[in-house]
Amino acid sequence: MGRPAFQRFLTSRHIPAGRAAAVTGVRWGGDFAAWDDLLAAGRDTAPQIRPGGAYAVDPAAGPSALAALFAVAVVPETVLLWASPAGLGITGRRIAPALHELPEGAVPFGAEQRPLWGVCTSGSSGTPKVAVGHADEWEQIALHAEAAMYADAFPEGPPEALATCLPLGFSAAFFMCVLPALYLKRDLVIHPPYDWSPLYELARERRVLALGVPALAAAACLSAPPDADLSRVALYLGGGHLSAPRVELIRRHFTGAHVSNLYGTAETGAIALDHDPGHNEHVGRPVPGKAVWLTGTDERGIGTVAVAGPGCCRRTWRPGGTPSAPADHVTGTDYGRFDSDGNLCLEGRVDGAEKLAGVLVRPREIERHILALDGVSDVRVTVETAPNGLEHLAATVVGAVGPDTVRAHCADLPEQHRPSRIRCTSEQEAASVYSSHGKL
C-alpha cells in the first residue's frame, strides 16, 4: 500500500473536536475493536508481508479484515485486493485471519511504481471484474466523501458515526464508510441487512451516515419500532433509481430520516447525488469535485457517462486476463443525458441490449416505463428461456400493482418490448425476490 498513505491516520489530529478522549472503532455484529487496536494487530502481522507482494484481504471476515488491511498498508509497494481469493478464483496462502498472499505472477501489476488497491464490481458474474486504483489516493477519497457528499445532509456538523448493512466488499461501503471512518477516526458499524437495531441505538445520541440500498431499507423500515427517532440519520441509498413509493414508505417508517439517492459504480465511485428523490426522473447532480460528462452523444444528447476524480479506478482487470490500459478517466456502464437543470438522467446500460427473436431490446428502457406506473416500487426485466427453448421477456415487479395492471400499462410499448411473464409482489413479501445484497 505504501507508508505515506497512512501517516495522518497514525496521528490523533483526525479525531473530531470534543471526541479526543473517546475510543472509536468498529462494531461488527457483537464484536467491537478500537481503531488503534486494529492498527496494532496489523503492525504485528506486517513482518509477514513481503514488499512488492500481492495480497487478498477477505472483506467478509469481520474486524480481522481491517487488521489485515493495516498489515499490508504499512508495508511499501504492495498490492491489496479487497476480495477473497475464492471470489477472485485465485488460490492464496493464508498467513493471518482474512489475509492471503497471492502467488507470484497472479496479479500483473508488479511494474507499477505506486501502491495499488482493487475491489470487485458488484455485478461480476463468472470471472470477476476488478476495479484497480492507487491506494495513496485513499485519504483524498475519504476527505472528498466528507466534504462533497455528507456536508449538505448534516448542517449541525459532520457525522459522528457511519453505518452500513452492505457487505464491505461493495466498493460503495469501502469508499464511503470504511475509508472515512478510518481516516477521520469515526465509529463504523456493520449490521445485518435484516437487523437495523444498531442504527436505531446509534441515532439516539449520534449523527449517523447510513449506507444501504432501496430494497433492504424498505424491508427494514417495515419492522422499525414505532418510537424510533431517526432525525439524526442521513440514509444514502444506492441503486440507480429510488421510486416515489419507496421514498414515501421509508420516510413514513424511518421517522425524521434524511433520505438521499446515490448513484455510481465500482469503477467510477460516487457520481451523482439527489437529496430529494422519488420523482424517478434523474439521479441528481454530479457530486462536487467529480468531473462527469458524456461521450459519443447522439442527436438527443444521450451518450456514455464518463467520469474523472476521487474514487475512479485507473484500470480494470479480470483474473487470468490482461489489465486494461491505464486511463485518466473512466467510461461508465450507463448511457445518460443531462436535463436543463444539470441533473444526470440514466438512459440504459451500455451493455444492456439483448436479442429477443432477432429483435434488439433494452430491458432498462422497459423498466423505466414500468416504473412510471403508480404503485410500482421496483422492477427488473430480463430475457428468459423456457424449457421448450423459446425466449420471452419476464418482469418482476415490486409494489401495490397486479400483473393485469402492468400488462395494460405496457400496451403502449412495441409488441416485442412487452413482458409476457409478469410476477408481482408487495413490499411486505418482497424478500423472496431479492438477493442478500438487495438486488432483484
Side-chain angles (χ1 to χ4, degrees):
M1 291 284 92
R3 194 179 305 274
F6 277 81
Q7 284 304 308
R8 288 189 177 88
F9 174 77
L10 301 178
T11 72
S12 62
R13 69 188 186 93
H14 281 311
I15 299 177
R19 295 285 306 284
V23 176
T24 59
V26 181
R27 189 170 302 282
W28 199 322
D31 298 327
F32 176 81
W35 283 117
D36 288 342
D37 291 341
L38 290 170
L39 178 59
R43 284 173 167 161
D44 289 344
T45 305
Q48 301 180 62
I49 304 300
R50 175 174 53 85
Y55 298 85
V57 174
D58 185 354
S64 58
L66 297 167
L69 181 148
F70 288 139
V72 180
V74 297
V75 178
E77 300 179 8
T78 49
V79 174
L80 185 151
L81 299 184
W82 184 246
S84 70
L88 294 168
I90 301 174
T91 301
R93 181 177 68 89
R94 184 180 183 275
I95 59 177
L99 180 59
H100 305 261
E101 182 177 21
L102 301 180
E104 189 168 350
V107 179
F109 302 118
E112 289 279 352
Q113 297 304 307
R114 298 170 68 186
L116 294 169
W117 53 260
V119 293
C120 288
T121 64
S122 62
S124 293
S125 59
T127 303
K129 183 168 68 171
V130 183
V132 180
H134 292 297
D136 53 8
E137 296 176 348
W138 277 359
E139 184 177 29
Q140 180 188 9
I141 294 171
L143 295 175
H144 179 252
E146 176 92 345
M149 287 182 272
Y150 300 161
D152 289 346
F154 293 97
E156 297 180 358
E160 299 164 292
L162 299 101
T164 185
C165 64
L166 300 180
L168 293 195
F170 273 38
S171 60
F174 185 67
F175 293 143
M176 296 188 64
C177 290
V178 174
L179 293 186
L182 185 160
Y183 278 100
L184 302 172
K185 283 196 172 179
R186 304 277 167 76
D187 283 318
L188 174 63
V189 175
I190 297 97
H191 62 88
Y194 54 83
D195 180 12
W196 288 47
S197 58
L199 175 62
Y200 310 147
E201 295 172 10
L202 273 176
R204 290 172 183 165
E205 299 179 351
R206 314 276 292 281
R207 295 186 298 273
V208 187
L209 184 286
L211 178 68
V213 293
L216 298 180
C221 76
L222 291 172
S223 60
D227 60 344
D229 178 7
L230 299 186
S231 58
R232 297 183 180 88
V233 173
L235 180 60
Y236 282 52
L237 301 176
H241 67 267
L242 189 52
S243 63
R246 279 268 163 87
V247 173
E248 293 167 3
L249 177 70
I250 292 168
R251 285 176 175 163
R252 186 166 65 252
H253 290 270
F254 281 170
T255 306
H258 180 103
V259 181
S260 298
N261 187 28
L262 177 73
Y263 166 68
T265 69
E267 295 90 343
T268 64
I271 293 176
L273 187 60
D274 182 6
H275 288 305
D276 188 22
H279 43 72
N280 199 34
E281 296 175 358
H282 57 73
V283 291
R285 290 178 176 269
V287 173
K290 212 69 173 280
V292 183
W293 68 100
L294 306 173
T295 64
T297 53
D298 62 16
E299 67 280 359
R300 298 173 296 169
I302 297 173
T304 303
V305 178
V307 190
C312 285
C313 72
R314 302 305 175 185
R315 55 175 65 187
T316 57
W317 169 64
R318 291 188 184 275
T322 301
S324 64
D328 59 0
H329 73 276
V330 182
T331 301
T333 57
D334 287 300
Y335 290 118
R337 61 178 175 83
F338 288 105
D339 67 15
S340 58
D341 294 321
N343 297 301
L344 180 63
C345 307
L346 300 182
E347 295 290 342
R349 288 185 63 88
V350 171
D351 59 353
E354 297 190 54
K355 282 287 188 71
L356 177 64
V359 176
L360 195 66
V361 298
R362 297 186 181 279
R364 280 284 181 94
E365 295 180 1
I366 303 169
E367 290 170 359
R368 190 167 65 250
H369 178 82
I370 296 174
L371 281 167
L373 177 61
D374 288 344
V376 173
S377 297
D378 202 0
V379 60
R380 175 76 185 279
V381 173
T382 56
V383 175
E384 295 185 351
T385 303
N388 61 7
L390 295 178
E391 293 181 326
H392 60 273
L393 280 178
T396 300
V397 182
V398 179
V401 294
D404 291 342
T405 304
V406 176
R407 191 169 289 109
H409 180 71
C410 290
D412 296 336
L413 296 172
E415 184 176 356
Q416 300 91 335
H417 293 188
R418 302 171 192 166
S420 59
R421 178 185 176 275
I422 300 172
R423 177 187 180 189
C424 295
T425 184
S426 67
E427 286 280 15
Q428 290 78 5
E429 299 174 342
S432 62
V433 297
Y434 281 100
S435 72
S436 59
H437 295 167
K439 293 191 174 185
L440 272 177

